[in-house]
Amino acid sequence: MAHMMADSSPTTGLKQRLAHPPTKVRSKFVRVLRAYPLVFIGGLMVLALIFVAVFADKLATFNPNFQFANGLAPDGAPLAPNHTFIMGTDDLGRDVYSRLLFGARVSLEVGVFASLISLFIGTTLGIISGYYGGFVDSVIMRITDIMLAFPFILFVVALVAVLSPSITNIFIAIGVLGWAVTARIVRAEVMKVKEFEYVQAARALGSRQWRILFKIILPNIMAPVIVLTTLAIGNNMLLESTLSYLGIGVQPPTASWGSMLSEGQQVFEYAPWLLYYPGLALMLAVLGFNLLGDGLRELFNPRRVR
Amino acid sequence: MSALLEVSGLTTSFLTASGYLPAIEDVNFAIEKGETLGIVGESGCGKSVTSLSIMQLLSSNGKIQKGSILFEGKQLVGLKDTSMRKIRGNDIAMIFQEPMTSLNPVHKIGKQIGESLRIHRGLNKEQSKQKAVDLLKLVGIPRAEDIADEYPHRLSGGMRQRVMIAIAMACDPKLLIADEPTTALDVTIQAQILDLMRKLKAEREMSIMLITHDLGVVAEMCDRVVVMYAGKVVEQGAVRDIFRKPTHPYTIGLLSSIPRLEDRQQRLSSIPGNVPSIEVMPAGCRFASRCPHATQRCADDEPSLLSVTDNHQARCWLVDEKGVAV
């Protein structure tokens, strides 16, 4: 708020000074940054990941799928990190650094798109369920219960098996199966928010149903949904690597952090860098999204921004 | 003068475990143009149900079973939702009891005030924003331009109620329904809000339906009063008549529970007992169990609204016996 009323009072005409002279008002960005440094750190990590994924072909030193003849030791063992291959090579003589960069692309793509699909399905069903209640609510919630009770990995395995494994099918499978938690949270939030007087007030203003749902209720439930989605991106990246690790995710030779871990596991004893780098990348990426999600929860709540 | 709003025989019921039970029964009253009508009664007597029935905003387990609501000669009962939406916020506006929760916390004040202008008048963002600032000035908010860009949590209760009034005034409504507008505010702010409503009413030739349990507010604001008890109108008339010559024992009880400056009282008098719940509503006079004058006749038959004078009616057998009660 600006501090402007310095001169004379309109009612008494007396000159008055301010008890607390206005100080320089910091921009909202700076204030948020100081209050929640974790948003900043998480945001930087996510930005770095996005940068790497987008410019993977510019940053990579080699073709990630090329099996170099000089990429293996004479006895056929992978090469440790050196000047040519800065993160070493894998057991087929491919450059780990380049594979890691291209793997970021796959991870991010699956994480983001799967989460968006879950977000869309979960929010839509959750809003309908929470707002209308009754029979519709019961049906949607029972479906949600089934989704939550079903072994998730098994479900994805079955779905991917039917759809045949490809990046697109993986994120569709993860997204379509992962909406249940979102739907529940959205439903609970809608049930809480719809009882507030401002929803009644909006009706008394002559708002249409869709206006109440999407302009009045939706913005009020977005904070937890955004946090959930950000955390879900990290989670879905982990899930993708799990699927790839199990061999039903991204198919060779395409690089993914999960498949790199899975391949590296076989030669772990004498080539540990094959697990270190993709494992570290995965951990940092998920951590970045989690920090960002926690920070956003604070940021998107108008009452908490100082 | 023809009535702006005419409510007759209105019965609104709610679905309970024992079927539909009426929360208000056979409610009749009219609001003239430019008039302030007070609706008085204790909690749960059906004041808010009456206003929600007029707005057609009853929750899904409530419905209007009988009666008619004429607004400018137009029947609102059974009106399609699309047509009703054009009336809400445009011709009839409403302000609520809790200013702290009536504003949407995620939208800026200016945007919320402009909302009904965008809905009903088709204004664009800039136009409605400009109009919102004008409305904020109208309701006496200082630094209107700055406040329009603030979120509701930055405002106090009194300021928020002013914002609610600005929202209600946006489309120049003919009728303002104010549901306990000052209950949640402290006394000095109450007086300011009432002043503001009176000023706006005079400027805009608006009618006000003021729902309250505060007889002080009624005395200050209203032209006529409807006293409700347990879902029925028990007394109605001009404010002057009701305050000078209350006829229904319930009204008398309400008035004598207000402290007076002139005479020293040891204790304030109160009305013993509670409003009967709608599941066990007595067949006779609903106030009989709490009434100091109750007779067997009161327990057996329910009186209709009997005329005390031309513009003053009370639902009490005492009127029938003596002409004027007590």
Side-chain angles (χ1 to χ4, degrees):
Chain A
M1 260 196 281
H3 301 266
M4 293 191 309
M5 305 189 303
D7 283 331
S8 60
S9 139
T11 44
T12 60
L14 292 173
K15 285 253 181 194
Q16 281 187 315
R17 282 179 305 111
L18 293 177
H20 307 286
T23 49
K24 192 166 155 274
V25 179
R26 285 203 201 88
S27 78
K28 192 172 175 180
F29 179 73
V30 175
R31 278 181 287 152
V32 168
L33 208 65
R34 286 171 68 100
Y36 312 108
L38 286 186
V39 192
F40 188 63
I41 299 170
L44 273 187
M45 289 166 77
V46 169
L47 274 182
L49 178 68
I50 293 172
F51 180 81
V52 165
V54 170
F55 295 105
D57 45 350
K58 303 275 188 311
L59 296 169
T61 43
F62 300 109
N63 178 340
N65 299 330
F66 189 77
Q67 305 182 3
F68 290 94
N70 60 349
L72 290 172
D75 61 351
L79 293 180
N82 56 48
H83 283 297
T84 323
F85 305 107
I86 52 174
M87 289 183 185
T89 58
D90 66 7
D91 55 346
L92 292 176
R94 295 175 295 194
D95 179 34
V96 171
Y97 171 69
S98 303
R99 289 181 70 72
L100 201 64
L101 295 183
F102 278 90
R105 228 177 227 191
V106 173
S107 292
L108 193 67
E109 206 175 323
V110 172
V112 169
F113 285 112
S115 302
L116 287 181
I117 293 173
S118 297
L119 170 75
F120 182 75
I121 301 176
T123 309
T124 311
L125 290 178
I127 283 190
I128 293 172
S129 191
Y131 189 74
Y132 292 102
F135 180 69
V136 183
D137 180 34
S138 302
V139 171
I140 293 176
M141 278 305 110
R142 290 307 76 77
I143 297 174
T144 313
D145 287 342
I146 293 170
M147 298 299 287
L148 286 173
F150 214 89
F152 191 65
I153 299 261
L154 200 63
F155 218 158
V156 181
V157 169
L159 205 64
V160 169
V162 173
L163 294 173
S164 85
S166 76
I167 297 180
T168 316
N169 287 343
I170 288 167
F171 70 63
I172 289 177
I174 297 177
V176 164
L177 297 178
W179 54 265
V181 176
T182 315
R184 275 215 172 160
I185 290 180
V186 168
R187 169 179 175 267
E189 286 292 311
V190 169
M191 288 173 91
K192 186 179 82 186
V193 166
K194 75 172 180 181
E195 300 300 331
F196 283 129
E197 234 168 0
Y198 55 77
V199 177
Q200 179 82 309
R203 279 194 205 105
L205 275 185
S207 305
R208 288 163 189 278
Q209 198 94 291
W210 68 262
R211 196 179 195 110
I212 291 170
L213 276 178
F214 293 102
K215 293 209 160 170
I216 309 291
I217 294 180
L218 190 62
N220 275 295
I221 61 166
M222 274 330 272
V225 174
I226 286 171
V227 175
L228 190 73
T229 304
T230 316
L231 298 177
I233 293 177
N235 233 336
N236 288 339
M237 289 171 72
L238 272 181
L239 200 62
E240 179 274 322
S241 58
T242 309
L243 291 178
S244 297
Y245 180 82
L246 293 174
I248 46 170
V250 179
Q251 294 304 296
T254 312
S256 124
W257 294 346
S259 59
M260 288 170 76
L261 284 170
S262 147
E263 288 156 13
Q265 190 196 24
Q266 293 149 18
V267 290
F268 167 63
E269 277 142 37
Y270 52 94
W273 59 90
L274 290 183
L275 295 194
Y276 293 162
Y277 293 115
L280 198 65
L282 195 58
M283 194 198 84
L284 287 177
V286 175
L287 182 67
F289 276 106
N290 285 1
L291 289 179
L292 184 66
D294 283 345
L296 284 178
R297 176 171 48 215
E298 301 298 309
L299 197 100
F300 274 92
N301 187 342
R303 259 163 299 196
R304 290 193 200 169
V305 176
R306 292 191 268 264
Chain B
M1 254 198 316
S2 75
L4 179 71
L5 181 81
E6 222 178 317
V7 175
S8 43
L10 184 66
T11 301
T12 299
S13 302
F14 285 88
L15 189 59
T16 65
S18 31
Y20 274 100
L21 289 172
I24 54 171
E25 253 182 287
D26 195 25
V27 169
N28 297 291
F29 62 84
I31 302 177
E32 307 289 335
K33 236 179 151 195
E35 182 186 51
T36 302
L37 176 78
I39 297 199
V40 188
E42 59 199 295
S43 329
C45 70
K47 294 169 299 186
S48 295
V49 173
T50 309
S51 69
L52 292 178
S53 300
I54 294 170
M55 293 295 271
Q56 308 276 310
L57 283 176
L58 294 164
S59 55
S60 57
N61 61 342
K63 67 172 186 199
I64 296 174
Q65 286 196 311
K66 278 202 293 272
S68 87
I69 300 167
L70 290 175
F71 179 75
E72 293 185 305
K74 190 175 181 181
Q75 180 62 257
L76 299 189
V77 177
L79 195 64
K80 269 197 299 196
D81 197 51
T82 43
S83 324
M84 194 60 218
R85 270 206 310 265
K86 294 195 179 106
I87 294 175
R88 284 183 208 137
N90 194 16
D91 294 322
I92 308 179
M94 203 165 171
I95 50 181
F96 294 88
Q97 178 173 358
E98 273 298 334
M100 304 312 268
T101 56
S102 304
L103 290 169
N104 193 337
V106 301
H107 293 312
K108 289 177 175 171
I109 304 280
K111 191 178 169 199
Q112 295 194 52
I113 298 175
E115 184 93 10
S116 63
L117 292 164
R118 287 194 297 276
I119 296 173
H120 295 294
R121 298 286 145 89
L123 262 54
N124 65 28
K125 266 194 180 148
E126 273 88 73
Q127 291 169 318
S128 66
K129 178 82 189 294
Q130 188 47 49
K131 190 81 199 294
V133 173
D134 294 345
L135 284 160
L136 282 173
K137 286 178 183 155
L138 179 77
V139 296
I141 286 192
R143 300 185 296 113
E145 283 88 354
D146 293 342
I147 296 293
D149 267 330
E150 289 288 354
Y151 287 96
H153 70 277
R154 305 291 296 259
L155 302 185
S156 66
M159 293 273 266
R160 289 190 207 188
Q161 198 58 296
R162 282 176 193 267
V163 171
M164 285 306 294
I165 293 176
I167 292 174
M169 297 307 297
C171 287
D172 248 323
K174 295 172 183 126
L175 174 66
L176 177 68
I177 299 179
D179 193 346
E180 309 243 13
T182 57
T183 308
L185 306 173
D186 61 54
V187 184
T188 49
I189 306 297
Q190 273 188 20
Q192 289 177 8
I193 295 291
L194 293 176
D195 269 344
L196 173 65
M197 285 172 61
R198 216 172 5 222
K199 186 191 105 189
L200 291 172
K201 182 197 134 185
E203 276 173 13
R204 311 237 164 167
E205 292 178 339
M206 171 175 74
S207 305
I208 297 179
M209 177 174 147
L210 183 67
I211 297 172
T212 181
H213 60 256
D214 186 341
L215 287 164
V217 170
V218 170
E220 200 168 328
M221 293 285 292
C222 299
D223 304 309
R224 283 192 312 117
V225 193
V226 169
V227 182
M228 289 185 73
Y229 181 79
K232 289 211 169 182
V233 175
V234 292
E235 185 160 6
Q236 61 178 346
V239 164
R240 190 175 287 264
D241 294 336
I242 301 275
F243 275 78
R244 292 223 176 121
K245 214 165 51 181
T247 304
H248 196 284
Y250 177 62
T251 317
I252 298 170
L254 279 183
L255 284 167
S256 61
S257 58
I258 308 174
R260 285 177 190 282
L261 286 176
E262 344 15 315
D263 34 71
R264 281 168 181 276
Q265 278 175 313
Q266 292 299 313
R267 304 187 63 138
L268 289 174
S269 73
S270 64
I271 306 173
N274 283 310
V275 187
S277 139
I278 56 173
E279 279 103 1
V280 290
M281 199 55 83
C285 175
R286 295 177 172 196
F287 190 60
S289 61
R290 304 170 74 185
C291 180
H293 309 290
T295 61
Q296 189 54 46
R297 188 185 185 190
C298 302
D300 294 340
D301 299 310
E302 186 173 30
S304 56
L305 271 175
L306 303 165
S307 287
V308 182
T309 60
D310 280 353
N311 291 315
H312 184 181
Q313 292 108 37
R315 192 184 290 279
C316 182
W317 290 125
L318 293 171
V319 180
D320 186 39
E321 283 164 5
K322 301 177 194 168
V324 175
V326 190

